[in-house]
Amino acid sequence: MAKSIKLRAKEKDGLATVKALISHAMETGLRKDKKTGKPIPAEFIQEVICESAGKTVLTCQWGSAISKNPFISFKFSGAKSGDSIKISWVDNKGNSDSLESAIK
Amino acid sequence: MNQNRRVLLKGSLAAGAVGAAIGAGLLAPKTVLAAWAKEAFEAKEVDAALKGAMGSADATASDKIKLKAPDIAENGAVVPITVTSEIDGTTNISLLVKENNTPLTSSYELGDTTEPYISTRVKMGKTSDVIAVVKADGKLYSTAKEVKVTIGGCGG
């Protein structure tokens, strides 16, 4: 299921800018199905971990108030072009995905 | 009579032990997500959410945190928020939407080399203050900005 993440990381003067887009429904559990009137069960990403060159650069804890198909951008220093960058997420149902790429 | 009482006590004690064991068993898979502050995310008040996410609700207002958010968000389901902190030693950033059912939207723990900059998109139920809280050297600093929402992004 590695298709859920789109990841782009660019390095300039040692500063890497990472942008990631995850496709996920991010259901809050508060919405109701319009046809059946039943609540749609919550399904949202709880944790996103970003690693580069074996080091954790960012740990995100998300609640259900993060938008559908979450976007996250952050920067870190000490990066080299070609360094690995890995993003992994886990949702409240235990689903997970990760994607490894290289910094441009 | 007394005998029955003993039996009953023993029975309830045993049940208690079993309950505890089940509780522990249920909690075990969660340890993978030990970092996820469930109480903080389920808290209905900003203070309680902050306490759970950052360890304290005692935040000083600071103009060294730049919070970039739209003045008016047409669609509350997608409100882009960017936080940049100019406070040295920033280790954690939390983003809250005051009027949401559960104010805490997200909490970030920065690595040693990570710049205190986060950009993401959040849902907003209605017009509300967006609060960015930054932890630096164990102290909390915050800044807030009101975002007007024309169409709510929660429920529907």
Side-chain angles (χ1 to χ4, degrees), chain A residues 34-46:
Chain A
K34 277 190 182 120
K35 278 177 197 153
T36 61
K38 281 183 189 156
I40 303 169
E43 185 174 8
F44 58 94
I45 295 173
Q46 290 189 318

Side-chain angles (χ1 to χ4, degrees), chain A residues 7 12 15 28 35 44 52 61 66 69 82 86 96 102-103:
Chain A
L7 177 62
K12 201 187 173 193
L15 187 73
T28 59
K35 278 177 197 153
F44 58 94
S52 176
Q61 286 186 47
I66 294 290
N69 297 336
K86 189 183 166 195
S96 65
I103 298 172

